[in-house]
Amino acid sequence: MGKWLQLFGNKKVIAAIFVVIVTILGIIFIRLEKEVTSQTLQRLSDQLSLALNSQLDKERSTALRYALILSQNGALSDALEQEDEDEGFEILSEVMDSIKMYTNTLIRSQIITADYFIFARSWDNSYAGMPLDFHRPDLLYFQNHKKPRAAIEVGRKLGIKATVPVYHQANMIGFVEVVSFFESTQEYFDRLGIDLYILMDERFYETAVFMQDNPPIGKEYILANPKYTQSDLQLLGGIDFNLFKQSRVVYRQGKYLFYEPMKNGEGETIGAFVFSLSAKQVSTYAHSDKEDISFLIHLSRDELYDVMMKKSLNNALFHSAYDKELLYLKDVVAPEDRELYLEEARERLNEYSKEELIGILLDYKVSREVKGEIK
């Protein structure tokens, strides 16, 4: 009888030890799972940010390219100088129709006078003669700068605006501008099965008159997406954006949401981009090769390097936004303008101290190191 009790007692001890071991392993597994999930979400957030910046750079570059081409149209410049709105609209429409016919690309362009009135607009000329000064404070940039720029700006509507000043005998007579509304960027993420929401800061409600009927998202934002569902509004409307901005990732209604700030040409935060991925997408991504950056976000090495370089430039010690834009434009300067561009760059860089130039060069060095680590 004693032997049976002893054996039974040993089994109870063994069972207790087994339960303790299983419990410890379970706790360790849960902690590791949480750590992996956190790391996965951070890695995914970084890649979404890189992909977004890459697509926005492409959209800005395309808009700027067309704006530069339009600014070289002599007939269009003559019409602007002679204040012939009808002639300007006709010329602008013909150029836009040709672009659409031969490239199947819809380009929205407008001509603005030097005193900030709409001169001609390719997609709707009924606004010719309307003042823009209240709606376009970003145009004040050209009071002190001659170089073109492309950036996300708030006007009557939020969008990417590539603006090129036009001169006649050394006098600025107006601006050529190409506008886009994130269509190509949204199409890119749509193809990946990722929802992208574009949110404008609510404080621009009075300025963005063409967005005043857009749905509000909480008290902070206005939705800029032209297409949305009631489910989208419910998903976004329940977010605590104060926490979201800090965590950059939240989980709601079976979806992971990722936050990315939206900045204008002056580096001011004017809104946000929010990505939405299903739990299944994130789970699939979590079990992929951690070194495979192209699994979800299809960036080439050159594109990734370019994005990282430009992000590092944002943190460099620039005296002004103009100096930063000057370096951004280095890859789109026409060969015939190269000498003039280099002269301007030398003049600007001569104003920097040795320490500031080293700071900028170190940012370039970091970018080059990033490129070397990608396999």
Side-chain angles (χ1 to χ4, degrees):
M1 186 68 178
K3 290 183 179 179
W4 284 106
L5 289 173
Q6 185 179 7
L7 181 61
F8 181 72
N10 289 340
K11 285 184 177 180
K12 287 178 67 176
V13 171
I14 293 172
I17 294 173
F18 178 76
V19 170
V20 170
I21 293 174
V22 170
T23 302
I24 293 173
L25 290 175
I27 293 172
I28 293 174
F29 176 78
I30 291 172
R31 288 182 176 178
L32 287 175
E33 185 68 21
K34 285 184 177 179
E35 183 179 350
V36 169
T37 300
S38 177
Q39 291 175 351
T40 298
L41 292 175
Q42 182 58 55
R43 183 164 54 93
L44 183 51
S45 177
D46 290 343
Q47 292 191 16
L48 287 168
S49 177
L50 289 172
L52 174 65
N53 281 285
S54 175
Q55 294 307 307
L56 291 177
D57 279 346
K58 289 178 181 178
E59 203 161 338
R60 280 190 290 258
S61 179
T62 299
L64 182 58
R65 210 161 34 235
Y66 282 114
L68 287 167
I69 292 171
L70 281 172
S71 70
Q72 300 301 313
N73 187 304
L76 196 57
S77 299
D78 289 343
L80 178 59
E81 195 272 329
Q82 295 165 15
E83 301 182 359
D84 190 338
E85 292 180 354
D86 292 336
E87 179 70 10
F89 175 67
E90 185 176 341
I91 296 170
L92 190 60
S93 298
E94 289 176 356
V95 175
M96 295 300 99
D97 288 344
S98 295
I99 291 175
K100 191 173 189 310
M101 179 184 297
Y102 294 110
T103 68
N104 197 32
T105 303
L106 176 63
I107 300 296
R108 302 178 188 87
S109 62
Q110 62 184 10
I111 312 300
I112 303 170
T113 65
D115 51 354
Y116 314 130
F117 284 81
I118 295 176
F119 177 75
R121 180 177 278 176
S122 67
W123 69 94
D124 182 2
N125 206 43
S126 61
Y127 290 94
M130 182 172 289
L132 283 177
D133 52 347
F134 170 72
H135 303 281
R136 294 295 306 279
D138 57 291
L139 292 174
L140 299 177
Y141 166 89
F142 293 98
Q143 291 181 353
N144 301 313
H145 305 97
K146 295 182 178 181
K147 297 296 182 181
R149 77 170 185 174
I152 299 172
E153 301 290 352
V154 176
R156 294 174 181 271
K157 192 174 179 180
L158 175 71
I160 292 175
K161 297 173 174 64
T163 311
V164 180
V166 179
Y167 291 86
H168 178 74
Q169 296 180 352
N171 295 317
M172 189 178 72
I173 59 175
F175 310 89
V176 170
E177 192 164 73
V178 170
V179 183
S180 67
F181 299 117
F182 310 104
E183 292 97 339
S184 63
T185 298
Q186 278 204 283
E187 287 173 6
Y188 172 82
F189 286 104
D190 282 345
R191 290 194 298 270
L192 294 174
I194 299 173
D195 291 328
L196 173 63
Y197 301 106
I198 302 165
L199 308 181
M200 181 186 73
D201 197 308
E202 193 276 337
R203 63 195 168 96
F204 296 108
Y205 176 85
E206 296 296 336
T207 301
V209 294
F210 291 159
M211 293 178 58
Q212 291 180 351
D213 291 332
N214 288 34
I217 302 299
K219 296 181 179 179
E220 297 92 348
Y221 297 108
I222 295 172
L223 183 65
N225 296 53
K227 297 180 181 179
Y228 54 87
T229 65
Q230 195 61 35
S231 297
D232 294 328
L233 300 183
Q234 291 174 354
L235 178 67
L236 297 170
I239 298 174
D240 183 338
F241 278 94
N242 289 326
L243 294 176
F244 194 18
K245 291 174 186 178
Q246 297 175 12
S247 65
R248 306 296 282 266
V249 183
V250 297
Y251 183 76
R252 272 184 55 78
Q253 300 179 6
K255 296 179 182 292
Y256 285 94
L257 305 179
F258 298 82
Y259 172 89
E260 183 70 17
M262 177 194 298
K263 297 183 182 294
N264 65 8
E266 298 298 323
E268 174 191 13
T269 299
I270 61 172
F273 296 99
V274 175
F275 301 95
S276 172
L277 281 77
S278 69
K280 182 179 180 181
Q281 286 174 296
V282 173
S283 177
T284 302
Y285 180 79
H287 293 91
S288 68
D289 182 358
K290 291 187 177 182
E291 299 299 322
D292 184 11
I293 199 168
S294 64
F295 172 76
L296 182 61
I297 306 302
H298 306 291
L299 287 175
S300 69
R301 291 185 181 184
D302 290 340
E303 287 174 323
L304 179 61
Y305 165 66
D306 187 54
V307 172
M308 292 300 294
M309 183 190 75
K310 290 183 177 179
K311 287 190 75 172
S312 72
L313 283 176
N314 283 328
N315 299 322
L317 305 173
F318 292 105
H319 290 178
S320 68
Y322 170 67
D323 293 354
K324 182 175 69 175
E325 291 292 334
L326 188 65
L327 289 184
Y328 278 9
L329 290 170
K330 69 181 182 61
D331 296 324
V332 297
V333 177
E336 60 270 22
D337 297 328
R338 194 71 182 171
E339 186 175 344
L340 181 64
Y341 170 82
L342 291 174
E343 181 180 343
E344 174 72 6
R346 291 191 192 98
E347 181 180 337
R348 299 301 304 176
L349 290 175
N350 281 336
E351 297 179 5
Y352 286 76
S353 68
K354 178 181 177 181
E355 289 75 16
E356 290 170 329
L357 290 173
I358 290 173
I360 294 174
L361 288 173
L362 285 175
D363 278 325
Y364 273 107
K365 183 179 180 182
V366 169
S367 299
R368 296 178 200 280
E369 289 174 352
V370 169
K371 180 183 179 183
E373 292 174 357
I374 299 169
K375 297 179 182 179

